[in-house]
Amino acid sequence: MRYVSLKEATAGMVLANELYDSYGRTLIGANHKLTDSYIEKLQKYGFWGVYISDELSEGIEVESVISPQLKARGMESVRACNIDECKKVARQIVEEILDSGKVSLDLADLRSYDDYTYAHSVNVGVICGVIGMGMCMSEQDMIHLVTAALLHDLGKLFIPSEILNKPERLTPEEYAVMKTHAEKSYDLIRERWDISAKVKTAVLFHHENVDGSGYPNGIDGSSQTLFTKILHVADVYDALVSKRPYKNPYSPYEASEYLMGVCGSMFDGQVVDALLRFVPLYPKGTTVRLSNGRTGIIYENAGIHNLRPILRMMDGTMMDMTDSGCLNLSLAPADDFYEEIETAEKSRHEMLELI
Ligand SMILES: [Fe+2]
């Protein structure tokens, strides 16, 4: 399978896996052929791209870190503000991550922007879980961390949707309202004896920057827990790679570049480093361009930061970038993403206010 943006998708392409809405209901089944009307509807739903199966991508398998059923259950728990259920889902997310044994988020995710808050919380949970496993955390700590991720934005359920989904820049007054969501999330759990203090502080401080410029309290890195720092990085990373009403998704490459750029001011360097070790810059099945102008599809990732993957070129031949003959070549996202990055770049500062 390979990932194509809906702009590139054409009628007749075969879907590689089932597509779901935010309630876990099937929109289109696996192996269905796309039609112009499906493509239009998926765009309206807010999908950015889909995985398709074709001859070129044969043998490229991309698996979700957690099952679609668990993802839907997680979204439902967040939507219903059901804290007990979120705790159970967090435990199950950790079980599925540990069972899979994969310390890699090799997936260009699919989601729609109208369910962003719910899908985002579950995605952040998965990213936190993968980082936690990669950092050799205990299972109990992983559960706490994923629980904090599922609960961190519950306070947004109390922010008026005109502010939450406003496509333009927020006024200072609206931004002040938006910023209250971290405390609102915390207020929902502060009295609960069955939720660890580690979870509570991570939820309250998930918008604090290491240089003290964040909110609500403006505490700096020396007063932040590891959980807080991981949740902050995972939260922003997922927001960057998501489609939002006011921006197109960044590619994982561009999002990673962004995280590195604000290490030391927004984020803790060690945590960013941990994320970059487990999140490939070029996920399996995505199209990349080589410095010699040729394009190919990521067949398999390997090595440090996954910068030297195995590719299947558009003529069907394979290229292992660790081979000595390829060492002078470098990778970049395919042209398709470049256009979008330029657009996203313009609104970067506005966007950060909305995460
Ligand atoms: Fe938040």
Side-chain angles (χ1 to χ4, degrees):
M1 66 175 83
R2 67 188 173 104
Y3 188 73
V4 293
S5 73
L6 286 174
K7 276 192 311 182
E8 298 170 276
T10 52
M13 283 182 167
V14 179
L15 270 183
N17 43 24
E18 229 163 339
L19 298 182
Y20 303 92
D21 69 6
S22 60
Y23 291 87
R25 295 175 302 212
T26 302
L27 292 172
I28 313 177
N31 301 319
H32 264 70
K33 276 191 181 166
L34 285 176
T35 61
D36 289 334
S37 132
Y38 277 153
I39 294 170
E40 201 181 315
K41 280 185 188 144
L42 288 172
Q43 275 166 336
K44 278 196 187 135
Y45 250 94
F47 281 88
W48 176 253
V50 290
Y51 282 98
I52 59 150
S53 299
D54 59 7
E55 214 176 310
L56 191 61
S57 59
E58 217 180 298
I60 303 176
E61 296 304 328
V62 187
E63 285 166 32
S64 298
V65 180
I66 62 165
S67 64
Q69 291 75 14
L70 182 55
K71 186 167 180 177
R73 203 177 132 206
M75 286 197 273
E76 191 48 47
S77 313
V78 174
R79 182 187 287 114
C81 200
N82 186 335
I83 294 166
D84 291 323
E85 193 60 18
C86 285
K87 286 178 65 188
K88 288 182 197 158
V89 169
R91 187 172 288 276
Q92 208 168 331
I93 288 175
V94 171
E95 268 172 32
E96 288 198 9
I97 290 174
L98 290 174
D99 278 354
S100 79
K102 281 197 308 186
V103 193
S104 178
L105 273 174
D106 221 350
L107 189 74
D109 210 351
L110 314 170
R111 66 196 103 191
S112 52
Y113 68 79
D114 54 351
D115 62 19
Y116 172 75
T117 300
Y118 319 119
H120 170 68
S121 299
V122 180
N123 290 332
V124 174
V126 172
I127 297 170
C128 282
V130 169
I131 295 176
M133 180 160 91
M135 293 178 93
C136 301
M137 273 186 188
S138 68
E139 183 172 349
Q140 193 53 50
D141 271 350
M142 283 174 70
I143 293 170
H144 285 325
L145 182 56
V146 176
T147 304
L150 291 180
L151 304 178
H152 81 284
D153 268 350
L154 284 184
K156 281 191 179 169
L157 299 171
F158 306 99
I159 303 292
S161 66
E162 314 85 77
I163 295 179
L164 203 57
N165 296 315
K166 188 177 173 184
E168 301 91 34
R169 191 186 181 92
L170 296 181
T171 64
E173 294 74 28
E174 289 168 334
Y175 187 40
V177 173
M178 183 68 157
K179 289 203 289 189
T180 61
H181 80 272
E183 283 159 303
K184 285 185 161 68
S185 301
Y186 175 69
D187 286 343
L188 289 168
I189 54 173
R190 67 190 301 174
E191 302 290 344
R192 290 197 50 148
W193 59 268
D194 59 333
I195 292 181
S196 152
K198 289 178 177 179
V199 175
K200 291 177 183 171
T201 50
V203 167
L204 178 61
F205 295 133
H206 74 270
H207 283 284
E208 296 287 5
N209 295 329
V210 291
D211 66 0
S213 63
Y215 63 86
N217 288 11
I219 58 169
D220 68 19
S222 63
S223 308
Q224 293 171 16
T225 63
L226 181 62
F227 276 27
T228 300
K229 292 171 179 171
I230 295 175
L231 182 53
H232 188 28
V233 170
D235 180 28
V236 174
Y237 179 83
D238 185 67
L240 291 172
V241 298
S242 296
K243 177 171 165 49
R244 304 287 291 119
Y246 46 86
K247 76 163 190 58
N248 285 324
Y250 280 32
S251 69
Y253 171 84
E254 169 70 1
S256 303
E257 189 275 334
Y258 175 79
L259 293 184
M260 286 185 270
V262 285
C263 261
S265 54
M266 279 181 82
F267 307 124
D268 179 275
Q270 280 180 329
V271 174
V272 171
D273 209 46
L275 177 103
L276 297 181
R277 264 183 283 141
F278 313 120
V279 180
L281 297 178
Y282 304 103
K284 251 167 115 171
T286 55
T287 307
V288 290
R289 192 166 48 81
L290 289 169
S291 48
N292 63 5
R294 295 182 71 194
T295 52
I297 299 164
I298 304 289
Y299 185 84
E300 198 64 69
N301 270 302
I304 300 285
H305 296 336
N306 304 303
L307 281 169
R308 313 306 295 176
I310 298 170
L311 303 178
R312 178 170 291 153
M313 308 311 290
M314 292 307 178
D315 61 6
T317 57
M318 303 296 287
M319 180 183 284
D320 183 345
M321 290 197 64
T322 58
D323 281 352
S324 53
C326 300
L327 294 181
N328 59 340
L329 294 173
S330 59
L331 283 178
D335 292 346
D336 183 49
F337 268 117
Y338 269 126
E339 283 172 37
E340 309 312 328
I341 289 165
E342 274 177 31
T343 321
E345 197 69 33
K346 288 175 197 153
S347 55
R348 179 175 272 186
H349 285 286
E350 291 170 39
M351 182 198 66
L352 275 176
E353 291 185 358
L354 292 162
I355 288 172

